[in-house]
Amino acid sequence: MITLNRFSFLIILCLVIFIAPSSGEKKIPKISIVVGSLLPREGEPDRIKNSPLSSPFGIDFDSKGNLFIVELGGGRVHQLTPTGNLSLLAGNGTQGYQGDNQIASQATFNGMHNVAVTPSGDIYIADSWNHCIRKINSKTHIISTIAGTGNPGFSGDGGIATQATFNYVMCITLNNTNDKLFVADLKNRRIRTVDLRKGLVKTIAGNGNQGIPEDGSLALQSPLVDPRAVAVDSENRIYILERSGHALRIVDKTGKIYTVAGTGEKGFKDGPALEAQFNSPKHLCIDNNDNVIIADDQNQVIRRFNPETKIVTTILGQGIGNPSIQLKQPHGVCIEKNYLYVVDTGNNRILRIDNLY
């Protein structure tokens, strides 16, 4: 077990950002280093330390404030308590598909990309290169596969999830009632759901073909470029992020799909959403105001899409938000209470942004 001193658990960086005189009484955001440390060019040398993480990719919280972290390169699942205790839950750093129906500490994984945690602490893991979704039971700590067979393919819609096949499960996210997982089934170019009560799987977007969907068409009958991540807002609108499509799409409550941000060409441009540009965005989450937060990987920034104003803005990286902080291949983003957590994958650390609005 690795213990972080409670008072050094968050290294608070008070950020001074340049605000135009007309901006009024805006809050000045702060950044905390939750796990990992500053880089040499970002702060005082005596604060630099080795990170206990290896290529962290996904994070989520339970209702008690415990943070769960999955690693792509390290192959481990960690838990960080509110008091700063970091412990290893599962994985030993090797690639494999072992441990089902045993204590989670005996499990191995292959390319975990994402994690979704229920308020009670049940942990769902996108075991991406094993083409499946696994669960760590919060009470028994037993791990099991709840969707997928471990083999790539596309089958099983309408049937039992453990008998269905997937092809690179890149992102999973819970709905607002925590009884359904939304799944970005990357190489099948589909968004699917797993009903956690009935154990059934079905497709809700994508017909398996590669292409840009036509605005207003039925999502089930439409192609997708490469659905990398998925999230659901408070109105049950489904957002789909496409990495090489460089775009954000939405499936509305009638089942129709629209592109809401991105031109489809890679670049770095804020402003009106359909004129904005992304460069290989990888992950997204929904904040408490139903804004979409995007980890824009190759631009090394975190972006925000406001569905009311239809504007895309950059909130951290490339000298924005805090000129000293330099992101490297940011992947996971997560909202917990009023804080935005960012997985700065290339720097093996997790950041927290306070007073975002």
Side-chain angles (χ1 to χ4, degrees):
M1 178 180 291
I2 301 170
T3 302
L4 306 178
N5 182 282
R6 182 170 185 175
F7 297 103
S8 62
F9 161 52
L10 299 178
I11 302 174
I12 305 299
L13 306 175
C14 294
L15 309 180
V16 178
I17 60 174
F18 296 99
I19 302 174
S22 60
S23 63
E25 298 297 324
K26 289 186 178 179
K27 292 181 179 179
I28 298 176
K30 298 181 296 185
I31 289 185
S32 309
I33 308 296
V34 178
V35 182
S37 73
L38 298 173
L39 304 176
R41 59 185 175 273
E42 292 175 340
E44 301 171 11
D46 62 355
R47 289 188 174 183
I48 310 305
K49 58 187 177 183
N50 292 328
S51 174
L53 303 179
S54 176
S55 296
F57 250 55
I59 58 173
D60 202 4
F61 288 82
D62 66 14
S63 61
K64 297 179 180 178
N66 293 301
L67 170 63
F68 297 90
I69 307 161
V70 297
E71 300 173 323
L72 176 72
R76 300 171 298 178
V77 182
H78 302 277
Q79 177 181 343
L80 181 68
T81 68
T83 58
N85 292 325
L86 184 68
S87 59
L88 181 64
L89 291 184
N92 59 16
T94 65
Q95 293 183 343
Y97 183 24
Q98 298 174 344
D100 269 6
N101 303 313
Q102 300 179 53
I103 296 296
S105 59
Q106 304 300 310
T108 57
F109 306 89
N110 193 0
M112 292 178 286
H113 273 69
N114 189 224
V115 61
V117 184
T118 66
S120 64
D122 287 336
I123 303 167
Y124 293 92
I125 298 167
D127 197 356
S128 305
W129 301 339
N130 281 328
H131 312 289
C132 66
I133 302 169
R134 300 171 80 181
K135 174 187 176 182
I136 300 175
N137 185 291
S138 62
K139 296 180 180 178
T140 65
H141 300 288
I142 298 294
I143 189 167
S144 60
T145 296
I146 62 102
T149 65
N151 297 311
F154 175 69
S155 66
D157 261 14
I160 301 298
T162 52
Q163 299 173 12
T165 54
F166 298 79
N167 200 343
Y168 281 67
V169 177
M170 300 305 285
C171 174
I172 55 175
T173 188
L174 288 158
N175 62 349
N176 297 314
T177 51
N178 297 295
D179 59 359
K180 187 179 293 184
L181 280 172
F182 286 73
V183 182
D185 192 1
L186 178 66
K187 290 195 174 182
N188 284 324
R189 300 189 182 92
R190 290 176 168 93
I191 302 298
R192 303 169 81 179
T193 61
V194 176
D195 188 315
L196 298 177
R197 293 176 179 172
K198 298 179 180 179
L200 302 177
V201 63
K202 70 175 183 178
T203 296
I204 60 170
N207 61 12
N209 296 323
Q210 185 173 32
I212 299 171
E214 180 180 350
D215 279 354
S217 60
L218 290 175
L220 269 172
Q221 299 175 7
S222 299
L224 294 171
V225 179
D226 62 343
R228 177 79 186 204
V230 59
V232 185
D233 73 6
S234 67
E235 299 295 325
N236 290 315
R237 294 170 293 201
I238 303 161
Y239 285 96
I240 302 169
L241 188 65
E242 301 209 282
R243 182 181 182 183
S244 63
H246 310 293
L248 177 68
R249 314 195 198 280
I250 190 172
V251 178
D252 68 15
K253 289 184 282 188
T254 69
K256 294 180 179 179
I257 191 168
Y258 299 86
T259 298
V260 293
T263 64
E265 299 294 328
K266 66 180 179 181
F268 180 37
K269 181 181 180 182
D270 282 342
L274 291 175
E275 299 174 14
Q277 291 182 317
F278 304 93
N279 191 353
S280 299
K282 278 191 174 180
H283 194 245
L284 78 167
C285 67
I286 310 297
D287 73 11
N288 297 328
N289 298 315
D290 275 347
N291 297 306
V292 183
I293 307 297
I294 298 168
D296 193 358
D297 178 78
Q298 291 300 298
N299 279 326
Q300 321 285 7
V301 295
I302 305 301
R303 318 283 291 278
R304 176 172 58 214
F305 165 68
N306 185 318
E308 297 297 324
T309 64
K310 296 179 172 53
I311 296 291
V312 170
T313 54
T314 299
I315 57 179
L316 183 65
Q318 299 250 10
I320 298 170
N322 176 8
S324 70
I325 292 295
Q326 299 183 36
L327 302 177
K328 184 178 180 182
Q329 296 178 314
H331 188 269
V333 284
C334 179
I335 294 289
E336 170 65 6
K337 302 188 187 318
N338 293 317
Y339 304 123
L340 169 62
Y341 290 78
V342 175
V343 182
D344 189 11
T345 300
N347 290 319
N348 291 316
R349 63 184 181 177
I350 297 171
L351 311 178
R352 189 182 86 179
I353 303 177
D354 301 13
N355 300 328
L356 186 58
Y357 303 106

